[in-house]
């Protein structure tokens, strides 16, 4: 406790919000104190020594710019020097990382457990000899699968398929659903020669005009099938042909959710009615909806939440209409929300038909029900279909998450962050709105996109790396080992930036 | 020389084809003798101790079958024990590997150079901290890119973009081409608000109805955009919706190519005329062809070759019609054909607009011209957009290829393999036809699909792992370190199998 109080005792933030701090300290439990020991202590605070990006980052970007577009490069990272929750850039700046490679590092930088795994000679072969996994799996593959992906499978789901990344996870999930849908239509009949031959030439009946329903502001990836379900930002989409599939409105809720219950319920029901209508409409026009894809929290699209009732309603519609439900947990999975899978917050009546993952899980892939099991060889397949060396690491990540109770830590520190956002929102009502969060997936809207970008820029130059999403949202995506004192450190720095830009 | 003669001197094969051997030995040069030392010698010959797959492989497959479809699993591999050109399975069988994880291992199993790279502590951070590469590249990323991908860039191409796999390489290549195509149409005008907004909702003008032309029997990958260009086998395609894009006939040539020059030229011209017609037709129906995608040798579709004139003709059509040419070198690249890139055999007048790669290159990605450089941030992007730890390994692979002259070795051993196929074809005319090859990418057709599968099965049980492609083709995809004595060893075993099944 001392360390925490000393740390925040220096801050502007605590002076302004002592009441909040008192409230927060009451929730500090044994689990939380344990979490304080999660990360090593090479860096205790940020250290900014140049403008970020600094001269070395800018020089490297110019050099890289000869070969590819570098407009999205923020800065160059010294991954050897980075540690725990602190990222170190090439210019020597040490930043508290609240974004963690777009939510994709589960344990922060260079966790000792993964260093040990890499040094273990018996793991070497996995890194050097990447197999054609669907045909020549390694002797230890089943065991590794059981100790990694299957050890954290969502309740009720027993099947798991690896894939290269989140996009490929969603595209393969779509394909498993298309197969199940068509198989059900064939009612046990084997595919005909005509179906096989026409499929090869992109024509019905073998290549049927099926569609996948997605939501406004969704983001599911960048290859054609995943991109067709993504509707967050123009630069993901412009100039790219995609099929004209049904897009339902994702609920635009008012926050805090418990203050606007009635209004939000009406909004969600309106959106569910749209889903029903679109399923009927696309069925009539001969492009039936085979599946619905949805994020538990829309991330890229602006950290948009919906209630458990909404997801229960979606599942009920799926059951009634014979449409399969695929939940995209690429960003929300792996403990970030305070449960291992975000959809566990929704009390669904039965498991989703497919749950896709990537990012913190280190490998892409999806869990699926019996109905989605492919019936023929080479159907969900490509040369690599994932990378078992990632399972070697994931196995240790899963161990660490369980041993250190990192999911509970995410719930706890998430509460600190959300309370901090709420407190700051009351201090800067003209700048911050709609503080919201589930576990570590906290976000707050900024009054304008320009001010949001300005805040991100200033935060970076005061030692915090953070991301945006949606039109003008600040999004937190720290790793699972973040401590409460680091959460306060972030809130304190944010406070000082808000004081400058308000 | 002695080693080679002793080795083949024991074989049935050499007894039957002494003339061939004499012809072959005349091409054995200094480079070849050097190549004999490429691989280590833990295994000198195959050793089959159980039926393949053996009892341990079958038990593991049953266990894995609880979690995913395992119908494509051939056997489980002990990657620690495998070495050089020999794969060792869980039952202790040692097989000469002429398939090498579907053409994806450049240097065979556990090459010492890669083991050293993995043990080098300064490389550790690359494996543990997978970055969001487009935004937070590592300090050493530019250098690694220069020493790996850029060190072997196709002539005339200076830009390179990484991607996760071959499918993602082709989908990102498509997107770079769509952007260039639409940018040209806009003629310098910035995208309008209407274009941006409609793109997000999958509608024109922002999401234009562009198409990509591909060929019968092509294979370019498994996500929706790549799958729409793939036409090799029904199980890649059945039940999956894809856009109705133009598909031109890939030339069906007669082998040996130099015996059927006139006939083959007419066939290729017929196919080129089809390409022209399809570009006009799809332009008229409002779905203009933005790009053409083609493999230098159609691999999955049956190892189908076309002449340099065909590819020159394709490029000429592209120039005339303003269509971009993307060459898919996922399987043909990285030295396998006796040049680093297969399209270098074609003497094209100018570089292709995009050249995609994966497999032996260890990372997916594509090279591209200035015209294809994205103009805005986050256009060719996703969280990982490749994996720089693969570049750490690729850098050493590229060094090894150069130092050991492995591209020349591929040309030389490829000649041995092709001559062997030709010789066996004359010995078993009722079974083998159409022996063909370019470097190590050798293939021969078998009289029926069932006989082909039988031959593959028998080869495996005599100590050779090999693959099929097309309807009834045997395809060789050894790694670049294969020696001539190993080539003879393979031919000898094939000979003994053919004697059984003829």
């Amino acid at each position: 406790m001392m360390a925490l109080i000393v740390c925040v005792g220096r801050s502007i933030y605590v002076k302004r919000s002592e009441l909040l701090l008192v409230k927060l300290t009451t929730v500090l439990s044994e689990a939380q104190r344990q979490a304080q020991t999660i990360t090593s202590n090479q860096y205790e605070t940020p250290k900014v020594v140049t403008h970020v990006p600094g001269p070395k980052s800018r020089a490297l970007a110019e050099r890289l710019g000869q070969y590819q577009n570098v407009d999205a490069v923020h800065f160059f990272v010294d991954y050897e020097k980075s540690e725990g929750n602190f990222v170190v850039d090439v210019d020597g700046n040490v930043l508290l990382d609240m974004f963690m490679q777009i939510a994709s590092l589960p344990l922060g930088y260079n966790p000792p457990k993964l260093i040990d795994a890499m040094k273990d000679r018996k793991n070497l072969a996995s890194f050097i000899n990447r197999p054609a996994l669907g045909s020549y799996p390694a002797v230890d593959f089943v065991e590794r699968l059981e100790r990694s992906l299957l050890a954290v499978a969502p309740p009720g789901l027993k099947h798991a398929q690896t894939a290269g990344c989140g996009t490929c996870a969603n595209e393969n999930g779509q394909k498993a659903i298309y197969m199940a849908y068509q198989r059900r239509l064939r009612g046990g009949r084997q595919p005909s020669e005509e179906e096989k031959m026409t499929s090869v030439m992109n024509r019905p009946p073998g290549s049927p005009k099926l569609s996948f329903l997605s939501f406004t502001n969704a983001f599911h990836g960048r290859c054609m099938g995943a991109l067709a379900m993504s509707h967050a930002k123009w630069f993901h989409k412009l100039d790219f042909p995609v099929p004209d599939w049904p897009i339902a409105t994702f609920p635009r809720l008012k926050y805090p959710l418990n203050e606007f219950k009635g209004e939000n319920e009406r909004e969600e029901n309106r959106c569910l009615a749209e889903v029903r209508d679109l399923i009927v409409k696309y069925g009539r026009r001969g492009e039936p909806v085979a599946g619905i894809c949805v994020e538990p929290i829309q991330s890229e699209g602006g950290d948009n939440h919906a209630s458990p009732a909404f997801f229960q309603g979606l599942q009920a519609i799926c059951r009634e209409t014979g449409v399969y439900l695929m939940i995209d947990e690429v960003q929300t999975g792996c403990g970030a929300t305070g449960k291992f899978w975000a959809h566990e917050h929704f009390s669904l009546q039965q498991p989703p038909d497919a749950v896709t993952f990537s990012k913190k899980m280190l490998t892409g892939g999806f869990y699926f029900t019996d109905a989605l099991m492919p019936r023929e060889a080479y159907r969900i397949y490509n040369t690599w279909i994932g990378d078992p060396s990632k399972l070697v690491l994931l196995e240790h990540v899963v161990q660490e998450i369980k041993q250190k109770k990192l999911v509970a830590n995410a719930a706890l520190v998430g509460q600190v962050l959300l309370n901090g956002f709420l407190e700051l929102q009351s201090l800067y009502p003209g700048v911050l709105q709609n503080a919201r969060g589930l576990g570590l997936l906290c976000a707050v809207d900024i009054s304008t996109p320009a001010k949001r970008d300005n805040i991100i820029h200033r935060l970076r130059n005061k030692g915090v790396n953070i991301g945006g999403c949606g039109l003008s949202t600040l999004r937190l995506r720290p790793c699972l080992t973040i401590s409460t004192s680091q959460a306060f450190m972030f809130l304190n720095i944010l406070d000082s930036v808000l004081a400058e830009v308000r």
Side-chain angles (χ1 to χ4, degrees), chain A:
Chain A
M1 290 304 303
M2 282 310 292
L4 175 68
I5 287 168
V6 170
C7 168
V8 296
R10 284 193 302 244
S11 73
I12 306 164
Y13 173 64
V14 74
K15 285 175 204 153
R16 295 199 185 172
S17 50
E18 276 168 33
L19 276 176
L20 170 68
L21 181 66
V22 171
K23 197 168 67 186
L24 286 174
T25 52
T26 61
V27 300
L28 297 175
S29 64
E30 182 53 36
Q32 195 279 323
R33 273 191 292 277
Q34 187 179 339
Q36 297 295 331
T37 66
I38 288 165
T39 51
S40 70
N41 288 318
Q42 189 183 341
Y43 307 108
E44 289 187 359
T45 53
K47 189 180 81 175
V48 179
V49 294
T50 73
H51 181 85
V52 185
K56 289 182 186 166
S57 267
R58 289 198 305 273
L60 280 170
E62 200 179 317
R63 188 164 148 206
L64 183 57
Q66 300 171 81
Y67 312 126
Q68 50 188 235
N69 180 295
V70 291
D71 294 337
V73 172
H74 298 321
F75 50 82
F76 283 76
V77 174
D78 191 326
Y79 286 99
E80 275 190 88
K81 289 191 185 142
S82 301
E83 193 184 28
N85 287 286
F86 289 91
V87 63
V88 180
D89 79 2
V90 62
D91 289 283
N93 299 296
V94 180
L95 311 184
L96 177 64
D97 198 345
M98 301 297 286
F99 201 43
M100 280 291 163
Q101 309 299 322
I102 320 183
S104 67
L105 293 187
L107 308 177
Y109 297 96
N110 292 307
K113 194 125 190 176
L114 297 194
I115 293 177
D116 291 346
M118 290 300 304
K119 286 182 185 161
D120 188 342
R121 282 214 55 168
K122 79 170 168 20
N123 292 335
L124 262 185
S126 299
F127 290 87
I128 296 174
N129 310 288
R130 187 174 187 177
L133 184 56
S135 289
Y136 306 97
V139 168
D140 60 0
F141 177 63
V142 188
E143 211 173 311
R144 288 201 190 274
L145 197 66
E146 288 171 347
R147 289 202 299 241
S148 58
L149 292 182
L150 293 162
V152 292
L157 294 179
K158 295 187 188 110
H159 306 302
Q161 173 64 56
T162 53
C165 64
T167 293
C168 292
N170 284 325
E171 295 245 0
N172 279 298
Q174 288 177 325
K175 289 164 77 169
I177 284 173
Y178 294 138
M179 281 192 284
Y181 189 92
Q182 291 297 99
R183 202 159 49 226
R184 198 177 59 202
L185 278 188
R186 283 194 288 270
R189 173 177 66 72
Q190 287 300 306
S192 68
E193 279 312 305
E194 189 202 3
E195 283 166 330
K196 290 179 180 176
M197 281 170 55
T198 51
S199 77
V200 169
M201 298 305 278
N202 297 14
R203 288 200 308 266
S207 174
K209 287 205 170 298
L210 298 179
S211 63
F212 229 95
L213 186 144
S214 55
F215 290 91
T216 52
N217 294 307
F219 182 80
H220 300 292
R222 301 266 202 159
C223 288
M224 192 183 208
L227 190 65
M229 307 194 298
S230 297
H231 318 287
K233 293 168 188 164
W234 70 265
F235 47 79
H236 304 149
K237 304 273 294 185
L238 183 74
D239 301 335
F240 306 145
V242 288
D244 172 25
W245 285 346
I247 308 166
T249 310
F250 193 80
R252 297 194 70 88
L253 302 191
K254 293 196 174 165
Y255 303 91
L257 297 179
N258 51 6
E259 275 182 34
F260 297 93
K261 274 198 175 154
E263 213 170 322
N264 286 341
E265 195 184 321
R266 281 191 296 279
E267 167 68 357
E268 291 188 336
N269 286 336
R270 186 183 71 82
C271 295
L272 289 173
E274 239 185 76
V275 170
R276 272 179 210 283
D277 290 349
L278 283 166
I279 291 172
V280 172
K281 181 180 158 191
Y282 274 73
R284 279 192 191 137
R285 73 185 231 189
E287 298 173 45
V289 176
I292 293 177
C293 189
V294 67
E295 296 154 275
I297 299 171
Q298 288 191 329
S299 295
E300 190 70 19
D303 269 37
N304 307 316
H305 293 239
S307 75
F310 175 75
F311 291 97
Q312 291 161 14
L314 259 189
Q315 189 171 55
I317 293 173
C318 284
R319 264 203 313 274
E320 284 166 35
T321 55
V323 167
Y324 294 92
L325 180 61
M326 177 158 90
I327 298 201
D328 175 346
E329 294 248 24
V330 167
Q331 187 149 170
T332 54
C334 200
T337 63
K339 292 189 186 281
F340 201 93
W341 299 103
H343 76 267
E344 293 179 64
H345 290 281
F346 302 153
S347 310
L348 295 177
Q349 280 203 357
Q350 59 192 62
D353 299 288
V355 175
T356 62
F357 54 81
S358 188
K359 290 198 185 255
K360 287 189 188 65
M361 295 296 285
L362 306 183
T363 173
F366 63 106
Y367 299 101
F368 56 98
T369 56
D370 291 342
L372 264 58
M373 179 73 95
R375 299 297 196 269
E376 304 99 2
Y378 298 104
R379 299 287 267 141
I380 298 291
Y381 190 92
N382 66 25
T383 301
W384 287 329
I385 195 75
D387 182 347
S389 74
K390 305 302 181 189
L391 295 189
V392 172
L393 299 175
L394 179 61
E395 183 182 327
H396 290 87
V397 168
V398 165
Q399 269 177 23
E400 189 84 344
I401 289 175
K402 292 187 174 183
Q403 279 168 12
K404 297 259 173 86
K405 299 186 173 61
L406 293 181
V407 180
N409 184 64
L412 181 90
V413 180
Q415 198 59 51
V416 172
L417 290 166
L418 180 58
N419 286 341
F421 271 172
L422 289 167
E423 180 75 6
L424 289 170
Q425 185 171 291
S426 71
L427 291 170
Y428 304 96
V431 185
L432 301 187
Q433 293 120 36
N434 302 326
R436 55 201 182 270
L438 196 60
L440 296 171
L441 270 63
C442 290
V444 64
D445 294 340
I446 309 297
S447 47
T448 70
K451 190 161 272 185
R452 189 267 312 267
D453 295 345
N454 185 13
I455 290 172
I456 290 176
H457 183 78
R458 285 171 185 263
L459 277 171
R460 205 169 275 159
N461 279 281
K462 286 182 181 256
V464 173
N465 187 47
I466 194 177
C469 63
L471 194 63
S472 64
T473 302
L474 274 188
R475 131 174 92 158
L476 300 185
R477 293 295 185 270
C479 78
L480 302 177
T481 61
I482 185 175
S483 66
T484 45
S485 64
Q486 286 163 341
F488 282 118
M489 195 185 296
F490 158 71
L491 291 168
N492 186 33
I493 296 171
L494 176 60
D495 180 38
S496 71
V497 165
L498 292 170
E500 290 170 10
V501 304
R502 72 157 112 196

